[in-house]
Amino acid sequence: MKVTYIQPDGSQQVVEGIEGDSVMQTAVNAGVPGIIAECGGSMACATCHVYVDAAWADKTGTRSESEEDMLDCAMAEMTDRSRLSCQVRLTADLDGLTVHVPEDDF
Amino acid sequence: MTETLIEGHKPLAPPPGIPVLDIDPYDVDTLYTPHAYYEALRAAGPVAYIPRYQVLAVGRFDETKTTFSDHETFVSSRGIGLNDFKLEKPWRPPSIILEVDPPEHTRTRRVMSKALSPKVVRGLMDDFRNSAATILDGLLGREIEAVVDLAEAFPTAVFPRAVGMKDVHTRHLVDYGAIVFNAVGPDNVLRQRDMARAPEVAAWINAACARDRLTDDGLGALVYAAADAGDITEAEAGMLVRSFLSAGVDTTVTGIGNALWCFSQNPDQWEALKADPSLIRPAFEEVLRYTSPVHTFLRTADRDTEIGGHPVPEGTKVLCVLASANMDPEKWGDPEVFRVDRRPVGHMAFGAGIHGCVGQNIARGELEALLSVMIEKVDRIEPMGEAIWRPNNAIRALDKLPLKLIPS
Ligand code: HEM
Ligand code: FES
């Protein structure tokens, strides 16, 4: 399955992901810039912040309270489409998912 | 019929098919020089049986990560040491964050992760930098014992202030962590020695965590505010402040000592850091991977399960050897090389999954402050004698580190 990461300058990277992996892990494996994932997915750092593309917003599920607390600490502004990419798991219906990497992720 | 427990947990006969590793991981000599044991553990298989304590152990990266982070199967509520809290009373009331499972964990974790958030840490950085500069100015150019003079001096200056503690007792603060960490091991000489002085130190720590012993503008106050909001009880707030002190002092002392050791042994890497300050944060990640301040914590199988295809019965204690996972060549290629530009994302030094270190932002903040001041002020870090390690059942820390910091 494929995930597309769009950088602030508009450049795109399409990455092959594995079902069950997080959107963060998929990015880290492929070396996508701007997804630092300092805490490795323990919801402690907010350096894996992404904006889910509008077309996918209703497929990626909802944020937990703890995720919202942490997003509130991210360097880039938190919006309705903000997610911690370590908290979004790839499922069959997310094939083709597109996310935007924020300007300043730490 | 009640079975006789071994080190406070259910005895485990050697499970068929699982390789046997006849080593005492908690032998003092092994704790001094553990790398041969790590290698033997990884070579044995995805999981090994350790007859000495009738436990299993994992040390390859994949199995260590999977076991340590599978909180539904391998629980923390039965203790992260050899004692099974379900069968034997722990030496102190269990931690209400480290030694609990969801849903209890979710509630307390949320309070702690707010109090220790990246935003909160950003607000502490000026103080961290100023204190680092003051301490370093007093140490430049002469022979120092870097464990006491710097690794202990810096966190014990800034962290109690960040927490808002009115009472500061440097020795108790550093030793409490070491006691708690020795307690997760077997009933060996290290644990016995520390248990003997635990009551005095624990009493001081508990008293220092009370609401009226904290200022109203520190991390401690943030935790007590959660009690005022009704998210936790007053008593729970005290317990969570206690966990700042058990998990947040000795660990960062160790992280700093280990960092100084890495750079004293690898002068070219100190040059690399001075040349490119953007490597400061990645360099600390590499220190963590390379030295794993927490070398081993355990989990308990809460139901019959398996590891790497081998059946594991309910009640089995599993040593998760984080330091071995961080040295697995399958994962890291050249793990024995210390490289500040490695960027070892996903290392196990802070754990993984829902219990992953909630204080990691503070730890990174302290190290970033210290190293950024050091690259300005210190040209070279010269060893002035042999570095000596201090054996502990869960922590790998230095006991003595004679150095000279040559000023720029
Ligand atoms: C270099 C420094 C540090 C290291 C290597 C370290 C290591 C760890 C590890 C490996 C865990 C996972 C335990 C488990 O899963 O069983 C952990 C959890 C924890 N750490 Fe740290 N730690 C450090 C600094 C700190 C600091 C500064 C604090 C507090 C301010 C802290 C507070 C905690 C707490 C409360 C937990 C339990 C979290 C939970 O169970 O959800 N640690 N730490
Ligand atoms: S990787 Fe740290 S919060 Fe997602």
Side-chain angles (χ1 to χ4, degrees), chain B residues 160-374:
Chain B
R161 189 153 65 226
V163 173
M165 299 178 73
K166 293 179 185 166
D167 312 314
V168 178
H169 187 305
T170 306
R171 211 56 263 154
H172 283 352
L173 281 168
V174 175
D175 289 352
Y176 185 58
I179 292 171
V180 170
F181 293 122
N182 265 329
V184 305
D187 192 27
N188 59 5
V189 36
L190 300 172
R191 189 179 199 272
Q192 285 163 8
R193 193 200 55 204
D194 273 9
M195 283 299 103
R197 62 195 181 125
E200 184 201 345
V201 180
W204 184 88
I205 292 282
N206 289 340
C209 294
R211 190 194 280 260
D212 66 350
R213 302 315 305 150
L214 299 168
T215 62
D216 55 13
D217 58 356
L219 308 178
L222 291 176
V223 173
Y224 276 100
D228 294 335
D231 298 334
I232 50 173
T233 67
E234 182 85 7
E236 285 173 331
M239 297 276 289
L240 289 177
V241 174
R242 185 191 74 170
S243 63
F244 285 151
L245 306 182
S246 48
V249 184
D250 189 47
T251 46
T252 50
V253 168
T254 302
I256 293 169
N258 292 6
L260 296 169
W261 175 77
C262 287
F263 287 113
S264 71
Q265 300 292 312
N266 299 276
D268 60 320
Q269 296 302 298
W270 184 246
E271 291 301 321
L273 197 63
K274 283 192 301 176
D276 183 0
S278 76
L279 289 174
I280 288 177
R281 279 178 94 89
F284 180 46
E285 300 307 306
E286 176 69 344
V287 167
L288 289 167
R289 180 198 68 79
Y290 191 69
T291 66
S292 300
V294 172
H295 61 76
T296 308
F297 277 157
L298 290 82
R299 293 291 190 256
T300 315
D302 205 37
R303 52 178 152 89
D304 293 343
T305 179
E306 55 98 31
I307 297 175
H310 295 287
V312 172
E314 184 276 336
T316 300
K317 283 282 179 183
V318 187
L319 270 71
C320 299
V321 188
L322 309 179
S324 173
N326 282 340
M327 279 286 166
D328 186 350
E330 288 287 316
K331 167 75 181 173
W332 308 106
D334 56 351
E336 69 295 339
V337 184
F338 174 75
R339 271 198 284 119
V340 291
D341 63 352
R342 182 186 296 268
R343 300 181 192 272
V345 179
H347 68 71
M348 293 293 298
F350 284 129
I354 63 163
H355 290 281
C357 183
V358 75
Q360 53 187 281
N361 300 304
I362 294 257
R364 291 197 177 96
E366 285 186 23
L367 266 291
E368 182 183 343
L370 181 63
L371 291 176
S372 62
V373 173
M374 278 184 70

